[in-house]
Amino acid sequence: MVKGDRAEWKAKYFVKMNRLLEEYPRIFIVGADNVRSKQMQQIRVSLRGIAEILMGKNTMMNKAIRTQLSSNPALEKLLPHIKGNVGLVFSKEDPVLVRDKLLENKVAAPARAGAIAPIDVIVEAQNTGMGPEKTSFFQALNISTKIAKGSIEIVSNVHLIHAGDKVGQSEATLLQMLNVQPFHYGLVVENIYDNGAVFAPEVLDITDEQLLGKFQLGLTNVASVSLEIGYCTQASVPHSIINGFKNVLAVAVETDISFPQADTIKAYLADPSAFAVAAAPVQAEAAAEETKEEVKEETEEESDDDKG
């Protein structure tokens, strides 16, 4: 590429980057290690109508982002995350949808010597189909084997590679001989920018039930502390009112103080059997309703049998 063409390409890149920064409220910072051009093209096609991908040198992305800081200062939060082999995915859609689309486009890949293993690799016990002449190769890797029906058999599962370790030449060769592709590569969401906030992709897995549970737990803790130290808060007011009413009710029961709620409690304490008699018709009525439902269901079943 000649100098003039390169300058023109850079100018077009900055124009596109500025348009995307202005148009889209959500930006996914994605790692692109081990993603090849053909796979990248497939990802672009699958995201068509949902998101746009922009790759480029980190210096160019940082420069383009800085030019937008005057109109959108929140974009500065992106700068610390533009490091390594990363790209940007711009979207207006639900972040979960975009994340799932990116996960769908991972492809299986062999373990290459020198690569950093993203996951543990365990070779399962199996008959390899290889001849006895390969026994020394397995011995060099400390893999227990035996000869079964004229071929080498791995007698137990082997933890061949640990996540984060560099793949050795022998391990890579063995996996290739076993026709195992242990890794899956694709665009990996590292961080998400959403209308001025930057968060990790794990946040997308938080459900409404989990949020409500955490909020309820926090509310309970605030109410407990407030009641213990005698400090009134919105969380503790309902409990304070109920506790105060219990105290008033207890005093009224022991004295001649009278008000409707206290009179009901006094009447119950004076004659609990009266309340048991009053509750009996309600329970009988409920039981009668259940019986009617059962009779109705049995009648419908008999009618269906007659038709059959």
Side-chain angles (χ1 to χ4, degrees):
M1 183 182 293
V2 298
K3 188 174 181 180
D5 292 339
R6 183 169 181 79
E8 183 180 354
W9 176 82
K10 280 188 175 182
K12 289 181 178 179
Y13 181 89
F14 287 124
V15 169
K16 182 177 182 179
M17 181 77 159
N18 290 334
R19 175 184 67 80
L20 294 173
L21 291 172
E22 291 173 358
E23 182 177 349
Y24 290 98
R26 297 188 182 94
I27 305 172
F28 294 73
I29 303 170
V30 295
D33 289 338
N34 301 298
V35 178
R36 306 199 171 217
S37 57
K38 182 178 180 180
Q39 184 183 359
M40 181 66 73
Q41 185 61 32
Q42 292 173 345
I43 296 173
R44 290 182 189 276
V45 171
S46 68
L47 290 177
R48 191 168 294 163
I50 298 174
E52 291 189 54
I53 302 176
L54 185 67
M55 306 298 293
K57 291 185 177 180
N58 293 354
T59 52
M60 294 178 64
M61 287 191 283
N62 284 330
K63 184 177 180 180
I65 291 170
R66 287 192 175 94
T67 60
Q68 292 288 317
L69 294 183
S70 57
S71 58
N72 189 358
L75 289 173
E76 188 174 8
K77 297 177 182 178
L78 284 170
L79 297 176
H81 304 289
I82 307 296
K83 55 186 178 182
N85 184 21
V86 298
L88 302 177
V89 178
F90 299 82
S91 180
K92 298 178 182 178
E93 302 297 331
D94 182 356
V96 176
L97 171 64
V98 179
R99 189 273 310 270
D100 291 345
K101 279 290 184 182
L102 292 173
L103 291 176
E104 289 173 5
N105 284 277
K106 285 192 173 185
V107 298
R112 293 185 175 85
I116 302 299
I119 59 172
D120 291 334
V121 178
I122 296 176
V123 177
E124 296 182 352
Q126 59 184 288
N127 191 309
T128 65
M130 302 178 196
E133 69 277 2
K134 299 286 187 180
T135 302
S136 59
F137 181 78
F138 287 89
Q139 291 175 342
L141 290 171
N142 294 320
I143 298 176
S144 300
T145 60
K146 67 178 182 179
I147 304 300
K149 297 180 180 180
S151 60
I152 298 174
E153 182 177 314
I154 300 174
V155 297
S156 61
N157 292 352
V158 179
H159 198 151
L160 188 65
I161 306 172
H162 291 80
D165 289 351
K166 184 178 289 188
V167 180
Q169 184 62 54
S170 298
E171 289 85 353
T173 302
L174 173 62
L175 292 171
Q176 185 177 3
M177 291 165 60
L178 295 175
N179 196 28
V180 175
Q181 294 185 323
F183 303 147
H184 288 79
Y185 294 128
L187 294 181
V188 179
V189 179
E190 297 182 355
N191 288 282
I192 302 169
Y193 170 91
D194 191 346
N195 291 299
V198 177
F199 52 87
E202 290 77 15
V203 173
L204 299 180
D205 296 321
I206 299 175
T207 63
D208 292 342
E209 290 75 16
Q210 289 175 318
L211 287 175
L212 289 173
K214 290 290 186 182
F215 179 78
Q216 184 63 45
L217 178 61
L219 198 63
T220 301
N221 291 337
V222 170
S224 299
V225 172
S226 300
L227 291 171
E228 185 66 25
I229 66 176
Y231 185 80
C232 184
T233 62
Q234 287 184 339
S236 67
V237 164
H239 300 280
S240 298
I241 293 174
I242 292 172
N243 291 337
F245 176 73
K246 288 178 181 178
N247 293 334
V248 171
L249 195 60
V251 172
V253 168
E254 295 295 330
T255 63
D256 294 332
I257 298 174
S258 177
F259 55 90
Q261 293 84 353
D263 293 341
T264 303
I265 296 297
K266 289 179 179 181
Y268 176 78
L269 293 175
D271 185 11
S273 61
F275 287 83
V277 172
V282 176
Q283 295 175 353
E285 184 179 346
E289 288 294 330
E290 291 180 2
T291 303
K292 289 180 181 179
E293 289 294 330
E294 291 176 359
V295 171
K296 183 179 178 181
E297 290 177 0
E298 290 176 0
T299 304
E300 290 178 352
E301 290 176 0
E302 291 175 359
S303 176
D304 291 340
D305 292 339
D306 293 341
K307 290 179 182 179

